[in-house]
Amino acid sequence: MNQYLVMSVVPQNFLNHISLDCVVFGFHDNQLKVLLLQTKETREWALPGGFVQNNESIEEAATRVLKERTGVNNVFLQQFHVFSKPGRNESNPIIRDMNKTYSPEVLEWFNNRFISVGFYALVDFSKVTPMPDANSATCEWESLKEIKSLIIDHMEILNKALETLRLQMSYQPIGYNLLPQKFTMPELQKLYETILGRELDRRNFQRKILSFKILKKLDERKTGGAYKSPYLYKFDLERYQKALNEGLSGKW
Amino acid sequence: MNQYLVMSVVPQNFLNHISLDCVVFGFHDNQLKVLLLQTKETREWALPGGFVQNNESIEEAATRVLKERTGVNNVFLQQFHVFSKPGRNESNPIIRDMNKTYSPEVLEWFNNRFISVGFYALVDFSKVTPMPDANSATCEWESLKEIKSLIIDHMEILNKALETLRLQMSYQPIGYNLLPQKFTMPELQKLYETILGRELDRRNFQRKILSFKILKKLDERKTGGAYKSPYLYKFDLERYQKALNEGLSGKW
């Protein structure tokens, strides 16, 4: 079992008071999934997270944590909000669990006030191998709509990530990291509907998404279907990247 | 002189390793202005910033700092990015200046690695009374286009704030905190042009901004002008707020 003992490191190698939490989204079976860890003793659910080493930026720390939990690199990973309510990490069940294993010095460090930088990641579900950290029993994909409660303020972090992703869809393209390389228009629409949590009109969706000019229609239909199989599309990566940087809705 | 001695506080009351920096934008004489502090000894320019007290969130800390530097409350203030490159706050001229005034313990604290949360604020220029902090000679508005260099990574923070503001204009309304309560269409267009740094077509701008339905046309013209004075508008605050939350470019 490939378990990374991130939490067994000596506190002196990490910045005090600063942590990060990752909301990792994947798309599978027409459902939006989130990667979660389960605590060993109380069997509660938590977002994957970690701390910042003395010699790394917070982005490098998040990339490292994500690689440790998923096995993948080069994913779309973006900081979206800092969570800093005083007392937010009091009564963290992970620290209760840790009482049996760690020295008083390490426990004291974990019991400090931590401000957490939230990151969200969009990953290719099929490429991820979920791996628990040293303080967790399991690491699993959960369907977003099945997630009822998480430890400390992780539910707030998840909701804020989702809110950011939904707002971002109104001005930036999404899908490149969530869909296979070739996809049909109904598959792309389903992704949008899943994230937004509601149904969209087929013709309006198609007109709007085509108007952004980020798609290439292929001279190829989805195989294995009926006579009228839908055409396949792929993203025009140059234009996709441009829209990521400049926004979709065009020039003023 | 109303100087707030934020930096003379004892480090124990503040979280180590975490700071915040504020990019405060104001609009005056058809120019975008940024509030800056000048260091006492080296006369370099810096963004207003501060630290997080043990009992406050990072938003509360930013609100406090902004109130101290501007005298105003209730401004549009938003965190936009965390700056965390290792070594970013090495050779900070403010700390060189402080050598003469502060104890070795305080200086040691300031010399720690700091991760900074960037906030940007949009304020009513006419209501602000710039006030330097204990480590600065002056606090002044500078025209954005005149700002050539800032201490440590503050130029990067300013540029990222501007980039965020420009992207945000493509999906959220702006102007409420930057313009007087009643304004003309040319004044609103000038604000957009100033932030974007380029001219816009008058008719396209008017059509697009009206399509968002966030403006109320008043039965009133700008006084003091010529025969054909332009009509005055104000924001429909209910719809403005809705567009802030849901994005401008409409439903999918």
Side-chain angles (χ1 to χ4, degrees):
Chain A
M1 185 67 220
N2 195 349
Q3 275 199 351
Y4 289 80
L5 303 171
V6 273
M7 295 237 183
S8 62
V9 293
V10 280
Q12 290 91 311
N13 296 345
F14 290 83
L15 278 185
N16 200 348
H17 302 300
I18 298 164
S19 63
L20 63 97
D21 287 293
C22 295
V23 181
V24 185
F25 291 111
F27 187 62
H28 184 65
D29 275 348
N30 286 334
Q31 288 183 28
L32 197 61
K33 306 271 189 179
V34 179
L35 198 67
L36 296 181
L37 297 168
Q38 196 176 33
T39 62
K40 281 180 176 167
E41 299 279 330
T42 52
R43 298 282 159 171
E44 289 168 271
W45 294 96
L47 296 171
F51 303 99
V52 184
Q53 288 173 2
N54 293 329
N55 60 351
E56 66 185 0
S57 69
I58 191 112
E59 282 81 10
E60 288 165 343
T63 303
R64 174 176 52 76
V65 166
L66 199 62
K67 174 82 169 46
E68 287 169 359
R69 296 288 78 70
T70 65
V72 295
N73 253 329
N74 294 323
V75 300
F76 180 91
L77 179 68
Q78 190 162 307
Q79 42 158 289
F80 66 94
H81 198 75
V82 178
F83 298 86
S84 64
K85 262 193 214 117
R88 57 172 288 281
N89 60 306
E90 282 169 14
S91 33
N92 184 344
I94 295 175
I95 299 175
R96 281 203 306 277
D97 285 11
M98 288 164 61
N99 271 323
K100 297 165 188 161
T101 342
Y102 292 95
S103 70
E105 292 73 27
V106 172
L107 287 171
E108 194 192 327
W109 189 82
F110 277 101
N111 270 313
N112 280 318
R113 177 180 170 193
F114 276 87
I115 281 184
S116 193
V117 181
F119 283 79
Y120 75 90
L122 305 178
V123 303
D124 185 338
F125 182 92
S126 68
K127 293 198 178 127
V128 167
T129 311
M131 291 178 285
D133 63 26
N135 298 299
S136 306
T138 61
C139 181
E140 291 175 21
W141 288 106
E142 294 296 324
S143 290
L144 177 67
K145 56 186 177 190
E146 304 293 328
I147 302 171
K148 302 299 179 213
S149 79
L150 298 172
I151 67 164
I152 55 171
D153 62 352
H154 285 194
M155 204 70 200
E156 183 188 343
I157 297 176
L158 171 58
N159 286 331
K160 183 78 181 173
L162 194 62
E163 187 189 298
T164 306
L165 183 60
R166 285 174 177 167
L167 189 58
Q168 191 167 351
M169 286 166 71
S170 71
Y171 67 94
Q172 283 186 323
I174 61 154
Y176 177 59
N177 313 279
L178 294 170
L179 291 172
Q181 211 195 348
K182 297 174 182 181
F183 48 86
T184 65
M185 191 57 78
E187 283 167 347
L188 183 60
Q189 180 173 342
K190 191 69 202 175
L191 172 66
Y192 273 77
E193 290 178 334
T194 304
I195 297 175
L196 292 171
R198 58 189 165 78
E199 289 188 11
L200 300 172
D201 178 76
R202 186 179 62 81
R203 272 189 291 188
N204 283 347
F205 176 79
Q206 180 157 337
R207 188 171 36 77
K208 188 152 182 176
I209 200 87
L210 289 176
S211 76
F212 297 147
K213 302 194 189 329
I214 53 169
L215 293 176
K216 274 183 188 167
K217 190 176 182 176
L218 303 174
D219 193 19
E220 195 180 336
R221 289 167 188 267
K222 192 172 170 81
T223 53
Y227 166 67
K228 261 284 209 178
S229 311
Y231 275 102
L232 288 165
Y233 291 82
K234 65 177 184 180
F235 289 111
D236 180 329
L237 288 189
E238 202 176 310
R239 292 182 168 194
Y240 190 97
Q241 191 57 49
K242 194 161 180 282
L244 272 185
N245 295 334
E246 297 175 7
L248 274 176
S249 55
K251 299 290 181 198
W252 271 93
Chain B
M1 185 68 219
N2 195 350
Q3 275 200 352
Y4 289 80
L5 303 171
V6 274
M7 294 238 183
S8 63
V9 293
V10 282
Q12 291 90 312
N13 295 345
F14 290 83
L15 278 185
N16 200 347
H17 301 302
I18 297 163
S19 63
L20 63 98
D21 287 293
C22 294
V23 182
V24 185
F25 291 111
F27 188 62
H28 185 65
D29 274 350
N30 286 333
Q31 289 184 28
L32 197 61
K33 307 272 188 176
V34 179
L35 199 66
L36 296 181
L37 296 168
Q38 197 177 31
T39 61
K40 281 181 177 166
E41 300 278 329
T42 52
R43 299 279 159 172
E44 290 168 89
W45 294 97
L47 296 171
F51 303 98
V52 184
Q53 288 173 1
N54 292 330
N55 61 351
E56 64 185 2
S57 69
I58 191 111
E59 282 82 11
E60 288 164 342
T63 303
R64 175 176 51 75
V65 166
L66 199 62
K67 173 81 166 63
E68 287 170 359
R69 296 287 78 69
T70 64
V72 295
N73 253 330
N74 294 321
V75 300
F76 180 91
L77 180 68
Q78 191 162 304
Q79 43 159 288
F80 66 94
H81 197 75
V82 179
F83 299 86
S84 65
K85 262 192 215 117
R88 59 172 288 281
N89 59 305
E90 282 168 14
S91 36
N92 184 344
I94 295 177
I95 299 175
R96 282 204 306 277
D97 285 10
M98 286 164 60
N99 271 323
K100 297 165 188 163
T101 341
Y102 292 94
S103 70
E105 293 74 28
V106 173
L107 288 172
E108 194 192 328
W109 189 82
F110 276 101
N111 270 313
N112 279 317
R113 177 180 170 194
F114 276 87
I115 281 185
S116 192
V117 181
F119 282 80
Y120 75 91
L122 306 178
V123 303
D124 185 338
F125 182 91
S126 67
K127 293 198 178 127
V128 166
T129 311
M131 290 178 285
D133 64 25
N135 298 299
S136 307
T138 60
C139 182
E140 292 173 22
W141 288 107
E142 295 295 325
S143 289
L144 177 67
K145 56 185 176 192
E146 304 294 327
I147 302 171
K148 303 299 178 212
S149 79
L150 297 172
I151 67 164
I152 56 173
D153 62 353
H154 286 195
M155 204 70 199
E156 183 189 344
I157 298 177
L158 170 59
N159 286 332
K160 183 78 180 173
L162 193 62
E163 186 189 299
T164 306
L165 183 60
R166 285 175 177 165
L167 188 58
Q168 191 168 349
M169 285 167 72
S170 73
Y171 67 95
Q172 283 187 323
I174 61 152
Y176 178 60
N177 313 277
L178 293 171
L179 291 172
Q181 212 196 347
K182 297 173 183 181
F183 48 85
T184 65
M185 192 58 79
E187 284 167 346
L188 183 61
Q189 180 173 340
K190 190 71 203 174
L191 172 67
Y192 273 76
E193 289 179 335
T194 304
I195 297 175
L196 292 171
R198 57 188 167 79
E199 289 189 11
L200 301 172
D201 178 75
R202 187 180 62 82
R203 273 189 291 190
N204 283 348
F205 176 79
Q206 179 157 338
R207 188 171 37 76
K208 188 151 181 177
I209 200 86
L210 289 176
S211 77
F212 296 147
K213 301 193 189 335
I214 53 168
L215 292 176
K216 275 183 186 165
K217 188 176 183 179
L218 302 176
D219 193 17
E220 194 179 337
R221 289 167 188 266
K222 193 172 170 79
T223 52
Y227 167 67
K228 260 285 208 177
S229 311
Y231 275 102
L232 288 165
Y233 290 82
K234 64 178 186 180
F235 288 111
D236 181 329
L237 288 189
E238 202 175 311
R239 292 181 167 193
Y240 190 99
Q241 189 58 48
K242 195 161 177 282
L244 272 184
N245 296 332
E246 297 175 9
L248 272 176
S249 55
K251 298 291 182 199
W252 273 91

PDB file of all heavy atoms in Angstrom, chain A residues 85-109:
ATOM      1  N   LYS A  85     -11.401  31.746   9.679  1.00  0.00           N
ATOM      2  CA  LYS A  85     -12.161  32.029  10.914  1.00  0.00           C
ATOM      3  C   LYS A  85     -11.364  31.561  12.124  1.00  0.00           C
ATOM      4  O   LYS A  85     -10.894  30.415  12.163  1.00  0.00           O
ATOM      5  CB  LYS A  85     -13.497  31.286  10.894  1.00  0.00           C
ATOM      6  CG  LYS A  85     -14.660  32.126  10.453  1.00  0.00           C
ATOM      7  CD  LYS A  85     -15.975  31.411  10.769  1.00  0.00           C
ATOM      8  CE  LYS A  85     -17.021  31.706   9.706  1.00  0.00           C
ATOM      9  NZ  LYS A  85     -17.433  30.503   8.981  1.00  0.00           N
ATOM     10  N   PRO A  86     -11.215  32.434  13.146  1.00  0.00           N
ATOM     11  CA  PRO A  86     -10.531  31.963  14.355  1.00  0.00           C
ATOM     12  C   PRO A  86     -11.283  30.759  14.928  1.00  0.00           C
ATOM     13  O   PRO A  86     -12.520  30.739  14.928  1.00  0.00           O
ATOM     14  CB  PRO A  86     -10.628  33.171  15.300  1.00  0.00           C
ATOM     15  CG  PRO A  86     -10.874  34.355  14.431  1.00  0.00           C
ATOM     16  CD  PRO A  86     -11.658  33.844  13.261  1.00  0.00           C
ATOM     17  N   GLY A  87     -10.567  29.769  15.364  1.00  0.00           N
ATOM     18  CA  GLY A  87     -11.205  28.581  15.935  1.00  0.00           C
ATOM     19  C   GLY A  87     -11.652  27.552  14.917  1.00  0.00           C
ATOM     20  O   GLY A  87     -12.204  26.518  15.287  1.00  0.00           O
ATOM     21  N   ARG A  88     -11.421  27.797  13.612  1.00  0.00           N
ATOM     22  CA  ARG A  88     -11.952  26.896  12.579  1.00  0.00           C
ATOM     23  C   ARG A  88     -11.417  25.470  12.701  1.00  0.00           C
ATOM     24  O   ARG A  88     -12.114  24.516  12.390  1.00  0.00           O
ATOM     25  CB  ARG A  88     -11.708  27.423  11.153  1.00  0.00           C
ATOM     26  CG  ARG A  88     -10.259  27.681  10.795  1.00  0.00           C
ATOM     27  CD  ARG A  88     -10.093  28.021   9.313  1.00  0.00           C
ATOM     28  NE  ARG A  88     -10.286  26.833   8.474  1.00  0.00           N
ATOM     29  CZ  ARG A  88      -9.345  25.891   8.281  1.00  0.00           C
ATOM     30  NH1 ARG A  88      -8.171  25.974   8.864  1.00  0.00           N
ATOM     31  NH2 ARG A  88      -9.591  24.862   7.512  1.00  0.00           N
ATOM     32  N   ASN A  89     -10.152  25.305  13.160  1.00  0.00           N
ATOM     33  CA  ASN A  89      -9.633  23.936  13.245  1.00  0.00           C
ATOM     34  C   ASN A  89      -9.602  23.389  14.682  1.00  0.00           C
ATOM     35  O   ASN A  89      -8.893  22.425  14.965  1.00  0.00           O
ATOM     36  CB  ASN A  89      -8.269  23.814  12.574  1.00  0.00           C
ATOM     37  CG  ASN A  89      -7.207  24.727  13.192  1.00  0.00           C
ATOM     38  OD1 ASN A  89      -7.429  25.927  13.288  1.00  0.00           O
ATOM     39  ND2 ASN A  89      -6.102  24.168  13.622  1.00  0.00           N
ATOM     40  N   GLU A  90     -10.384  24.017  15.560  1.00  0.00           N
ATOM     41  CA  GLU A  90     -10.528  23.416  16.892  1.00  0.00           C
ATOM     42  C   GLU A  90     -11.387  22.151  16.772  1.00  0.00           C
ATOM     43  O   GLU A  90     -12.185  22.016  15.868  1.00  0.00           O
ATOM     44  CB  GLU A  90     -11.207  24.410  17.852  1.00  0.00           C
ATOM     45  CG  GLU A  90     -10.234  25.478  18.355  1.00  0.00           C
ATOM     46  CD  GLU A  90     -10.946  26.618  19.077  1.00  0.00           C
ATOM     47  OE1 GLU A  90     -12.137  26.467  19.425  1.00  0.00           O
ATOM     48  OE2 GLU A  90     -10.298  27.659  19.275  1.00  0.00           O
ATOM     49  N   SER A  91     -11.214  21.268  17.697  1.00  0.00           N
ATOM     50  CA  SER A  91     -11.910  19.968  17.708  1.00  0.00           C
ATOM     51  C   SER A  91     -11.869  19.257  16.359  1.00  0.00           C
ATOM     52  O   SER A  91     -12.886  18.818  15.825  1.00  0.00           O
ATOM     53  CB  SER A  91     -13.359  20.074  18.223  1.00  0.00           C
ATOM     54  OG  SER A  91     -13.974  21.278  17.896  1.00  0.00           O
ATOM     55  N   ASN A  92     -10.682  19.187  15.798  1.00  0.00           N
ATOM     56  CA  ASN A  92     -10.459  18.432  14.575  1.00  0.00           C
ATOM     57  C   ASN A  92     -10.324  16.952  14.942  1.00  0.00           C
ATOM     58  O   ASN A  92      -9.424  16.578  15.683  1.00  0.00           O
ATOM     59  CB  ASN A  92      -9.170  18.946  13.921  1.00  0.00           C
ATOM     60  CG  ASN A  92      -8.892  18.283  12.584  1.00  0.00           C
ATOM     61  OD1 ASN A  92      -9.476  17.246  12.265  1.00  0.00           O
ATOM     62  ND2 ASN A  92      -8.012  18.884  11.816  1.00  0.00           N
ATOM     63  N   PRO A  93     -11.221  16.095  14.432  1.00  0.00           N
ATOM     64  CA  PRO A  93     -11.170  14.674  14.812  1.00  0.00           C
ATOM     65  C   PRO A  93      -9.869  13.989  14.421  1.00  0.00           C
ATOM     66  O   PRO A  93      -9.475  12.994  15.044  1.00  0.00           O
ATOM     67  CB  PRO A  93     -12.365  14.072  14.067  1.00  0.00           C
ATOM     68  CG  PRO A  93     -12.700  15.028  12.991  1.00  0.00           C
ATOM     69  CD  PRO A  93     -12.310  16.388  13.502  1.00  0.00           C
ATOM     70  N   ILE A  94      -9.182  14.529  13.400  1.00  0.00           N
ATOM     71  CA  ILE A  94      -7.913  13.915  12.998  1.00  0.00           C
ATOM     72  C   ILE A  94      -6.896  14.032  14.131  1.00  0.00           C
ATOM     73  O   ILE A  94      -6.135  13.108  14.406  1.00  0.00           O
ATOM     74  CB  ILE A  94      -7.369  14.574  11.709  1.00  0.00           C
ATOM     75  CG1 ILE A  94      -8.324  14.288  10.540  1.00  0.00           C
ATOM     76  CG2 ILE A  94      -5.969  14.057  11.381  1.00  0.00           C
ATOM     77  CD1 ILE A  94      -7.950  14.982   9.249  1.00  0.00           C
ATOM     78  N   ILE A  95      -6.930  15.186  14.832  1.00  0.00           N
ATOM     79  CA  ILE A  95      -5.978  15.380  15.928  1.00  0.00           C
ATOM     80  C   ILE A  95      -6.348  14.481  17.113  1.00  0.00           C
ATOM     81  O   ILE A  95      -5.471  13.932  17.783  1.00  0.00           O
ATOM     82  CB  ILE A  95      -5.909  16.870  16.319  1.00  0.00           C
ATOM     83  CG1 ILE A  95      -5.424  17.668  15.100  1.00  0.00           C
ATOM     84  CG2 ILE A  95      -4.972  17.086  17.501  1.00  0.00           C
ATOM     85  CD1 ILE A  95      -5.419  19.143  15.274  1.00  0.00           C
ATOM     86  N   ARG A  96      -7.631  14.292  17.358  1.00  0.00           N
ATOM     87  CA  ARG A  96      -8.039  13.338  18.399  1.00  0.00           C
ATOM     88  C   ARG A  96      -7.487  11.957  18.080  1.00  0.00           C
ATOM     89  O   ARG A  96      -6.896  11.286  18.929  1.00  0.00           O
ATOM     90  CB  ARG A  96      -9.573  13.275  18.514  1.00  0.00           C
ATOM     91  CG  ARG A  96     -10.202  14.417  19.274  1.00  0.00           C
ATOM     92  CD  ARG A  96     -11.592  14.030  19.833  1.00  0.00           C
ATOM     93  NE  ARG A  96     -12.512  13.522  18.818  1.00  0.00           N
ATOM     94  CZ  ARG A  96     -13.242  14.307  18.023  1.00  0.00           C
ATOM     95  NH1 ARG A  96     -13.148  15.609  18.099  1.00  0.00           N
ATOM     96  NH2 ARG A  96     -14.084  13.775  17.160  1.00  0.00           N
ATOM     97  N   ASP A  97      -7.613  11.542  16.820  1.00  0.00           N
ATOM     98  CA  ASP A  97      -7.085  10.244  16.390  1.00  0.00           C
ATOM     99  C   ASP A  97      -5.584  10.151  16.611  1.00  0.00           C
ATOM    100  O   ASP A  97      -5.046   9.087  16.961  1.00  0.00           O
ATOM    101  CB  ASP A  97      -7.316  10.031  14.879  1.00  0.00           C
ATOM    102  CG  ASP A  97      -8.771   9.691  14.565  1.00  0.00           C
ATOM    103  OD1 ASP A  97      -9.610   9.826  15.472  1.00  0.00           O
ATOM    104  OD2 ASP A  97      -9.041   9.313  13.411  1.00  0.00           O
ATOM    105  N   MET A  98      -4.909  11.292  16.381  1.00  0.00           N
ATOM    106  CA  MET A  98      -3.454  11.295  16.399  1.00  0.00           C
ATOM    107  C   MET A  98      -2.871  11.174  17.798  1.00  0.00           C
ATOM    108  O   MET A  98      -1.688  10.856  17.950  1.00  0.00           O
ATOM    109  CB  MET A  98      -2.920  12.585  15.752  1.00  0.00           C
ATOM    110  CG  MET A  98      -3.093  12.625  14.238  1.00  0.00           C
ATOM    111  SD  MET A  98      -2.892  14.302  13.593  1.00  0.00           S
ATOM    112  CE  MET A  98      -1.210  14.637  14.088  1.00  0.00           C
ATOM    113  N   ASN A  99      -3.687  11.436  18.818  1.00  0.00           N
ATOM    114  CA  ASN A  99      -3.208  11.414  20.201  1.00  0.00           C
ATOM    115  C   ASN A  99      -2.425  10.150  20.551  1.00  0.00           C
ATOM    116  O   ASN A  99      -1.504  10.181  21.338  1.00  0.00           O
ATOM    117  CB  ASN A  99      -4.394  11.533  21.164  1.00  0.00           C
ATOM    118  CG  ASN A  99      -4.694  12.998  21.461  1.00  0.00           C
ATOM    119  OD1 ASN A  99      -3.783  13.797  21.576  1.00  0.00           O
ATOM    120  ND2 ASN A  99      -5.965  13.323  21.578  1.00  0.00           N
ATOM    121  N   LYS A 100      -2.831   9.055  19.911  1.00  0.00           N
ATOM    122  CA  LYS A 100      -2.205   7.781  20.247  1.00  0.00           C
ATOM    123  C   LYS A 100      -0.833   7.601  19.619  1.00  0.00           C
ATOM    124  O   LYS A 100      -0.040   6.773  20.049  1.00  0.00           O
ATOM    125  CB  LYS A 100      -3.113   6.632  19.799  1.00  0.00           C
ATOM    126  CG  LYS A 100      -4.441   6.647  20.536  1.00  0.00           C
ATOM    127  CD  LYS A 100      -5.460   5.761  19.859  1.00  0.00           C
ATOM    128  CE  LYS A 100      -6.819   5.984  20.524  1.00  0.00           C
ATOM    129  NZ  LYS A 100      -7.922   5.537  19.677  1.00  0.00           N
ATOM    130  N   THR A 101      -0.567   8.343  18.570  1.00  0.00           N
ATOM    131  CA  THR A 101       0.624   8.070  17.766  1.00  0.00           C
ATOM    132  C   THR A 101       1.733   9.115  17.885  1.00  0.00           C
ATOM    133  O   THR A 101       2.892   8.791  17.685  1.00  0.00           O
ATOM    134  CB  THR A 101       0.231   7.996  16.266  1.00  0.00           C
ATOM    135  OG1 THR A 101      -1.172   7.802  16.170  1.00  0.00           O
ATOM    136  CG2 THR A 101       0.953   6.884  15.572  1.00  0.00           C
ATOM    137  N   TYR A 102       1.362  10.351  18.150  1.00  0.00           N
ATOM    138  CA  TYR A 102       2.344  11.426  17.998  1.00  0.00           C
ATOM    139  C   TYR A 102       2.809  11.993  19.330  1.00  0.00           C
ATOM    140  O   TYR A 102       2.116  11.920  20.345  1.00  0.00           O
ATOM    141  CB  TYR A 102       1.770  12.537  17.118  1.00  0.00           C
ATOM    142  CG  TYR A 102       1.586  12.095  15.687  1.00  0.00           C
ATOM    143  CD1 TYR A 102       0.358  11.608  15.243  1.00  0.00           C
ATOM    144  CD2 TYR A 102       2.641  12.149  14.790  1.00  0.00           C
ATOM    145  CE1 TYR A 102       0.187  11.187  13.932  1.00  0.00           C
ATOM    146  CE2 TYR A 102       2.488  11.736  13.480  1.00  0.00           C
ATOM    147  CZ  TYR A 102       1.259  11.247  13.050  1.00  0.00           C
ATOM    148  OH  TYR A 102       1.111  10.839  11.768  1.00  0.00           O
ATOM    149  N   SER A 103       3.979  12.602  19.290  1.00  0.00           N
ATOM    150  CA  SER A 103       4.568  13.211  20.483  1.00  0.00           C
ATOM    151  C   SER A 103       3.798  14.472  20.862  1.00  0.00           C
ATOM    152  O   SER A 103       3.142  15.090  20.011  1.00  0.00           O
ATOM    153  CB  SER A 103       6.022  13.592  20.196  1.00  0.00           C
ATOM    154  OG  SER A 103       6.056  14.682  19.289  1.00  0.00           O
ATOM    155  N   PRO A 104       3.873  14.888  22.129  1.00  0.00           N
ATOM    156  CA  PRO A 104       3.176  16.114  22.561  1.00  0.00           C
ATOM    157  C   PRO A 104       3.585  17.333  21.736  1.00  0.00           C
ATOM    158  O   PRO A 104       2.750  18.190  21.453  1.00  0.00           O
ATOM    159  CB  PRO A 104       3.616  16.268  24.016  1.00  0.00           C
ATOM    160  CG  PRO A 104       4.003  14.901  24.457  1.00  0.00           C
ATOM    161  CD  PRO A 104       4.552  14.214  23.245  1.00  0.00           C
ATOM    162  N   GLU A 105       4.857  17.395  21.309  1.00  0.00           N
ATOM    163  CA  GLU A 105       5.312  18.559  20.534  1.00  0.00           C
ATOM    164  C   GLU A 105       4.584  18.629  19.187  1.00  0.00           C
ATOM    165  O   GLU A 105       4.156  19.696  18.749  1.00  0.00           O
ATOM    166  CB  GLU A 105       6.829  18.493  20.274  1.00  0.00           C
ATOM    167  CG  GLU A 105       7.706  18.661  21.509  1.00  0.00           C
ATOM    168  CD  GLU A 105       7.688  17.428  22.408  1.00  0.00           C
ATOM    169  OE1 GLU A 105       7.457  16.309  21.887  1.00  0.00           O
ATOM    170  OE2 GLU A 105       7.882  17.576  23.634  1.00  0.00           O
ATOM    171  N   VAL A 106       4.487  17.468  18.540  1.00  0.00           N
ATOM    172  CA  VAL A 106       3.816  17.443  17.247  1.00  0.00           C
ATOM    173  C   VAL A 106       2.335  17.782  17.418  1.00  0.00           C
ATOM    174  O   VAL A 106       1.763  18.576  16.665  1.00  0.00           O
ATOM    175  CB  VAL A 106       3.995  16.066  16.566  1.00  0.00           C
ATOM    176  CG1 VAL A 106       3.148  15.966  15.309  1.00  0.00           C
ATOM    177  CG2 VAL A 106       5.465  15.830  16.238  1.00  0.00           C
ATOM    178  N   LEU A 107       1.724  17.229  18.463  1.00  0.00           N
ATOM    179  CA  LEU A 107       0.314  17.503  18.696  1.00  0.00           C
ATOM    180  C   LEU A 107       0.077  18.978  18.992  1.00  0.00           C
ATOM    181  O   LEU A 107      -0.919  19.562  18.549  1.00  0.00           O
ATOM    182  CB  LEU A 107      -0.207  16.652  19.860  1.00  0.00           C
ATOM    183  CG  LEU A 107      -0.371  15.169  19.522  1.00  0.00           C
ATOM    184  CD1 LEU A 107      -0.676  14.376  20.782  1.00  0.00           C
ATOM    185  CD2 LEU A 107      -1.468  14.958  18.475  1.00  0.00           C
ATOM    186  N   GLU A 108       0.990  19.585  19.734  1.00  0.00           N
ATOM    187  CA  GLU A 108       0.847  21.005  20.050  1.00  0.00           C
ATOM    188  C   GLU A 108       0.869  21.826  18.764  1.00  0.00           C
ATOM    189  O   GLU A 108       0.109  22.774  18.599  1.00  0.00           O
ATOM    190  CB  GLU A 108       1.986  21.438  20.987  1.00  0.00           C
ATOM    191  CG  GLU A 108       1.744  22.794  21.627  1.00  0.00           C
ATOM    192  CD  GLU A 108       3.004  23.328  22.297  1.00  0.00           C
ATOM    193  OE1 GLU A 108       3.803  22.509  22.806  1.00  0.00           O
ATOM    194  OE2 GLU A 108       3.193  24.554  22.283  1.00  0.00           O
ATOM    195  N   TRP A 109       1.776  21.430  17.850  1.00  0.00           N
ATOM    196  CA  TRP A 109       1.872  22.147  16.576  1.00  0.00           C
ATOM    197  C   TRP A 109       0.547  22.052  15.801  1.00  0.00           C
ATOM    198  O   TRP A 109       0.028  23.029  15.293  1.00  0.00           O
ATOM    199  CB  TRP A 109       3.028  21.559  15.763  1.00  0.00           C
ATOM    200  CG  TRP A 109       3.369  22.345  14.524  1.00  0.00           C
ATOM    201  CD1 TRP A 109       4.136  23.458  14.452  1.00  0.00           C
ATOM    202  CD2 TRP A 109       2.944  22.061  13.187  1.00  0.00           C
ATOM    203  NE1 TRP A 109       4.228  23.889  13.159  1.00  0.00           N
ATOM    204  CE2 TRP A 109       3.514  23.052  12.352  1.00  0.00           C
ATOM    205  CE3 TRP A 109       2.149  21.067  12.592  1.00  0.00           C
ATOM    206  CZ2 TRP A 109       3.319  23.086  10.973  1.00  0.00           C
ATOM    207  CZ3 TRP A 109       1.945  21.106  11.217  1.00  0.00           C
ATOM    208  CH2 TRP A 109       2.527  22.098  10.432  1.00  0.00           C
TER     209      TRP A 109
END
